[in-house]
Amino acid sequence: MPTATPTIPRRSPKRGYDFIVIGSGSGGAAVTRRLVDAGADVLLLEAGTAGIGIAELDDPAGWVPLGRGAYDWGYDYAPTDHVMGRTIGIPRGRVLGGSSSINAMMWYRGHAADYDAWEEAGARGWGFADVLPYFKRCEDWEGGESEWRGAGGPLRIERSPDPHAIALALIESAAELGIARIDDPNGAQNEGAALSNFNICSGKRWSSARGYLWPVLNAENLAIMTEAEAQSLRFEANRCKAVRYVRAGIAVEAEAAQGIILALGAIDTPRLLIMSGIGEPGDLRRIGISVKAALPGVGRNLQDHPLVRAINFRAQRPLGPVRDNGGGSMVNWKSHPSLAQPNLHAFPVQGRSATPELAGQYDLSADGFAIGVGLMRSRSRGYLRLLDAGPGAPMEIQPNFLAEPADLQDLVDAVSFVMELAHTSAFRDWFAGFAAPGGKLDRRQAIAFIRSACSTFFHTCGTCRIGEDEGAVVDSRLAIRGIEGLHVADASVIPVIPSCNTHAPATMIGERAADFLLQAA
């Protein structure tokens, strides 16, 4: 279902709108579309460019270099001893569609228990039975509608029509080691090996911008301002009334009669709140910002999935052209049979994959392939804090990867399992030896390897979590606690990181946010 390349109509800024959405990523695009469809007058602000018709954004095989490129914010996780003092880059989309325009295009919602855990953590009404209809609403799944999947929604979701042999070998090798093949990791069960679900259609990326926003670009009740960076929020008494943003060097203020929705992501939503005086009072005063609302949870509870990037193998022959997103399949399994759900996740890489530090330690010059492996039930928690008060001021962003010893042990088990996969008959025609690491590892060696190879899935979340306790930032209807007219619709509200890529949960959050706003209007 290819869509003709559109343009964003030029619209003169107005003083007021019904709603203002700040950020056009997975959550922001969804909430914008549903508000526009309902007839509301909406302003959507995006700090990046439109990115429409840009070949490198459309090409599924070319997504990796987009990190640190023109469409990336260029953020970093701060170093710790747990990762050998390394700085870890966090690709975050600065373009219409946000990170959905530069990510690996994975559509994966994890396990039902992930969302029941949200409910247990204080997010009332966010159990799996509550959120499944909203996941289905997002989807245009190639297999059609079912109890578990949706059809006719804005986001096209497909499996590879011609998977790479390495992707198929991963599924077969996992089966040899006792892990079941499953048809759909977004179906009734996610434990097992399967072809991945992609936001790809006719060989092109199907971003949130393409799915949610392109069909309504010409709607008279939607104004999209790209290259418009929000600077602060303005309040009247206890109500958020307006946002101040800069576009083409000119400061502009826009008011919202019914509400402002923050959808800047788990880094920039808390940053804008802090810049506007909402956060932990001591942190605000430290950088000279007056306290508007004392919410100590802003910027706390930061979570991400640690990725071991990656186990590299020498190949018997060249792999040929990259297909799909350079992967194509996944394996989800338990580090111990007693666990209630899978906690480990692996995927193939059609080529080499390594952190700069790992690439400096091993010879990766020969033809090769890799398997990335990560912990999807990570326990470590971190934080985000501003180091200054000015626009664009530096931040300390700290996930505390590997701070919890149990996280490290799970990854030791995961690396051992992945190295066993290479010895199965499924990889017999491809495996020509280990490249990084160079061979079997004892526990001490495995820990050193993991610390050097630890990277990020860029699933940053949790920094404005839903809940009812003093550390919560939004209530169960995504309203900022103690402030009227201000809501959040992105991955920052996630209380407990789900065992999946965060694009699907963030989109679901945007869908629910729109319902909450329209019900209150």
Side-chain angles (χ1 to χ4, degrees), residues 1 105 107 140-143 149 155-161 196-203:
M1 53 166 67
M105 293 148 287
W107 182 264
D140 186 23
W141 167 233
E142 67 169 17
R149 305 304 304 266
L155 293 182
R156 182 63 181 169
I157 304 163
E158 301 179 357
R159 289 173 285 211
S160 174
S196 299
N197 285 196
F198 293 127
N199 291 129
I200 298 175
C201 180
S202 301

Side-chain angles (χ1 to χ4, degrees), residues 381-401:
R381 299 289 184 270
Y383 59 86
L384 172 154
R385 63 175 186 151
L386 269 65
L387 303 179
D388 198 349
M395 291 180 284
E396 181 182 358
I397 312 171
Q398 181 54 260
N400 279 326
F401 281 151

Side-chain angles (χ1 to χ4, degrees), residues 76 103 156 164 214 219 224-225 236 240 252 263 272 275 422 439 451 474:
D76 292 313
N103 68 5
R156 182 63 181 169
H164 195 284
W214 284 22
I224 297 178
M225 303 293 176
E236 291 183 7
C240 185
V252 183
L272 183 58
M275 289 171 60
R451 293 196 194 282
V474 299

Side-chain angles (χ1 to χ4, degrees), residues 112-128 130 341 377 465-469 476 495-496:
D114 294 335
Y115 305 95
D116 293 336
W118 291 14
E119 179 107 45
E120 292 168 10
R124 288 182 299 144
W126 288 85
F128 184 67
D130 301 299
Q341 66 184 96
R377 300 286 296 160
R465 68 174 173 87
I466 305 171
E468 300 177 328
D469 60 284
S476 292
V496 181

Side-chain angles (χ1 to χ4, degrees), residues 200-484:
I200 298 175
C201 180
S202 301
K204 289 189 175 183
R205 175 190 295 275
W206 195 270
S207 69
S208 294
R210 184 183 292 261
Y212 277 97
L213 299 178
W214 284 22
V216 293
L217 289 181
N218 291 310
E220 292 295 327
N221 57 325
L222 173 63
I224 297 178
M225 303 293 176
T226 56
E227 300 181 77
E229 188 165 350
Q231 301 285 301
S232 63
L233 304 169
R234 180 172 63 79
F235 304 88
E236 291 183 7
N238 236 19
R239 184 173 186 84
C240 185
K241 292 288 291 183
V243 57
R244 298 186 180 101
Y245 65 96
V246 173
R247 191 176 194 225
I250 299 171
V252 183
E253 182 173 283
E255 294 185 350
Q258 297 187 49
I260 293 174
I261 302 97
L262 307 184
L264 302 91
I267 294 174
D268 284 299
T269 284
R271 181 173 75 161
L272 183 58
L273 287 172
I274 293 167
M275 289 171 60
S276 303
I278 299 175
E280 202 285 317
D283 288 348
L284 293 170
R285 295 187 185 103
R286 173 179 50 80
I287 55 176
I289 296 177
S290 299
V291 179
K292 174 61 187 175
L295 287 177
V298 174
R300 303 296 196 270
N301 191 50
L302 189 151
Q303 300 166 65
D304 194 358
H305 294 129
L307 165 67
V308 178
R309 181 176 177 239
I311 317 299
N312 284 259
F313 311 95
R314 293 194 300 275
Q316 295 184 28
R317 60 188 184 277
L319 274 70
V322 173
R323 300 183 192 177
D324 309 308
N325 72 340
S329 60
M330 65 166 69
V331 182
N332 305 305
W333 77 102
K334 299 173 183 176
S335 60
H336 193 276
S338 64
L339 295 177
Q341 66 184 96
N343 63 329
L344 298 173
H345 172 89
F347 59 91
V349 181
Q350 299 165 31
R352 297 180 297 274
S353 180
T355 62
E357 294 77 14
L358 203 66
Q361 295 177 43
Y362 297 92
D363 180 5
L364 300 177
S365 59
D367 289 326
F369 63 96
I371 298 177
V373 61
L375 178 60
M376 307 305 276
R377 300 286 296 160
S378 46
R379 307 160 184 84
S380 301
R381 299 289 184 270
Y383 59 86
L384 172 154
R385 63 175 186 151
L386 269 65
L387 303 179
D388 198 349
M395 291 180 284
E396 181 182 358
I397 312 171
Q398 181 54 260
N400 279 326
F401 281 151
L402 312 182
E404 294 290 336
D407 285 0
L408 188 58
Q409 182 56 51
D410 285 345
L411 287 172
V412 169
D413 294 340
V415 167
S416 176
F417 179 85
V418 167
M419 295 181 76
E420 287 183 45
L421 291 172
H423 290 300
T424 61
S425 63
F427 278 110
R428 183 177 298 138
D429 294 336
W430 289 101
F431 177 62
F434 293 102
K440 185 175 175 61
L441 304 173
D442 61 26
R443 188 173 187 277
R444 180 187 60 81
Q445 293 169 327
I447 288 173
F449 178 81
I450 290 165
R451 293 196 194 282
S452 183
C454 184
S455 185
T456 169
F457 278 90
F458 36 100
H459 295 165
T460 315
C461 65
T463 49
C464 295
R465 68 174 173 87
I466 305 171
E468 300 177 328
D469 60 284
E470 287 306 305
V473 177
V474 299
D475 65 22
S476 292
R477 294 179 71 83
L478 304 179
I480 295 280
R481 297 172 63 235
I483 299 288
E484 296 179 7

